Amino acid sequence: MPAITHHIPDEMIVAYVSGSLPHAFSMVVASHLSYCRDCQASLGAHRAAGGALLETGEGVAVDAGLKSKVLAALDAPAVPEPVYEAKGIYPGPVIHSLKGRPPRWKTLGMGVKQDILFEDSEGSARLLFIPAGQAVPDHSHNGLELTLVLQGSFSDETGQFGVGDVEIGDENLEHTPVADAGDPCICLAATDAPLRFRAFMPRLLQPLFRI
Amino acid sequence: MFDFLAPRLKGFVIRCGARPALAEEIVQDVMLTIWRKAALFDPHKAQASAWIYQIARNRHIDIVRKESRPVPDELGEDPGTEPDASQIIGLEQEAEQLKHAIAQLHPDQKEMIVKAYMGDLTHQEISSQTGLPLGTVKSRIRLGLGRLRKELKGLR
Ligand SMILES: [Zn+2]
């Protein structure tokens, strides 16, 4: 696998570590971290900074009964949390969101397919399937969009993106990503605003497809 | 350990925006997790405070969002590096230098850094809270982070 060249910016790693990053984007960040030693190193550094702030901050007295409550709870059998590990081309965070099932692809036309994994008021995350040589429909962004490659690769005006690479788009990025020759390109994409697929389908239809 | 850690955790969780009753609940959950998962903690990879910080933030976010947080896959050891005791000492030194670097920050920078790591405010919210234009806030966070990063670079 070629080296990862497109990473998560530091501020976004802080937002992920501290939990202020919306869930949809956290899915992409956690997935990129599942490939990338460099960003895991930054993650470790930022956790350490958070730990230092925790250690050096003022304490607040806890309820007198808290300790015995915790000790009592320790005696109760622990309910094991489900563990989601990477499977096939999908990193753990994607398997987590899929709850272990395979993707349920819905066709968007021209061989392009999607599976919406998550949606809330702050954003949405989806898997995209783009056949080789096929243009990802020309779209511009209302807000922030993160696109992480899970299989194959795509190229646009800004460069080439292979497995583990993440492209960060905002309203200033006008680009036309095209899936490179080879395996179909599968991506995890998160956005905080509805995408405007321009050359692709009428705006009125977008709510139907939830793009 | 409980008597040392629990009040610090409670103070931290309150600064993260939790009301006292919720803070008690989070402290209880976090202490329980720490005890249960102590065997999984690897001192070659992280300081205890960094590990506890992440557990505390995760628990808080899970309660607020009612959606369990996505967690990255473990990448295992870097090929060619054997875990040894010097790593643990290195991490301890790093933690000390970090605390020192934080103490050295300009108060404005420190305030922004604290807010960023407590996660209760987004960039946008920080700027509306303080009346500062967003660009300044971002560059202050970046500036503060840059100084921390410089400290960390020499250590990695
Ligand atoms: Zn990276």
Side-chain angles (χ1 to χ4, degrees), chain A residues 13 63 118 130 144 158 171:
Chain A
I13 291 188
D63 196 89
F118 177 81
I130 306 134
L144 184 65
T158 68
E171 54 271 10

Side-chain angles (χ1 to χ4, degrees), chain B residues 2 4 19 63 152:
Chain B
F2 185 95
F4 173 79
R19 278 186 307 231
I63 288 176
L152 290 166

Side-chain angles (χ1 to χ4, degrees), chain B residues 4-5 9 16 20 25 31 37 40 42 45-46 64 71 75 87 95 102 111 115-116 119 129 143 147:
Chain B
F4 173 79
L5 197 52
L9 259 174
C16 287
E25 188 192 322
M31 294 307 295
K37 294 195 174 169
L40 296 176
D42 180 356
K45 281 191 181 161
V64 171
V71 179
L75 288 177
Q87 260 173 289
I102 289 167
E111 197 192 327
K115 282 182 178 172
Q129 275 263 315
L143 211 68
R147 289 182 60 164

Side-chain angles (χ1 to χ4, degrees), chain B residues 8 22-23 29 32 84-85 102 112 118-120 122-123 129:
Chain B
R8 262 160 222 272
L22 179 62
D29 291 352
L32 201 57
D84 64 42
I102 289 167
M112 290 301 155
M118 302 296 137
D120 58 338
T122 62
H123 288 344
Q129 275 263 315

Side-chain angles (χ1 to χ4, degrees), chain B residues 73-87:
Chain B
D73 296 325
E74 294 273 347
L75 288 177
E77 286 301 320
D78 221 336
T81 56
E82 294 283 311
D84 64 42
S86 72
Q87 260 173 289

Side-chain angles (χ1 to χ4, degrees), chain A residues 23 99 118, chain B residues 61-69:
Chain A
H23 187 85
K99 308 212 163 52
F118 177 81
Chain B
I61 300 305
D62 286 353
I63 288 176
V64 171
R65 288 193 201 271
K66 300 180 180 68
E67 185 80 44
S68 79
R69 293 196 71 194

Side-chain angles (χ1 to χ4, degrees), chain A residues 21-51:
Chain A
L21 196 65
H23 187 85
F25 293 122
S26 293
M27 286 168 62
V28 179
V29 172
S31 296
H32 174 81
L33 285 163
S34 301
Y35 296 93
C36 184
R37 248 175 236 288
D38 284 358
C39 288
Q40 284 227 357
S42 317
L43 176 77
H46 292 303
R47 278 180 182 156

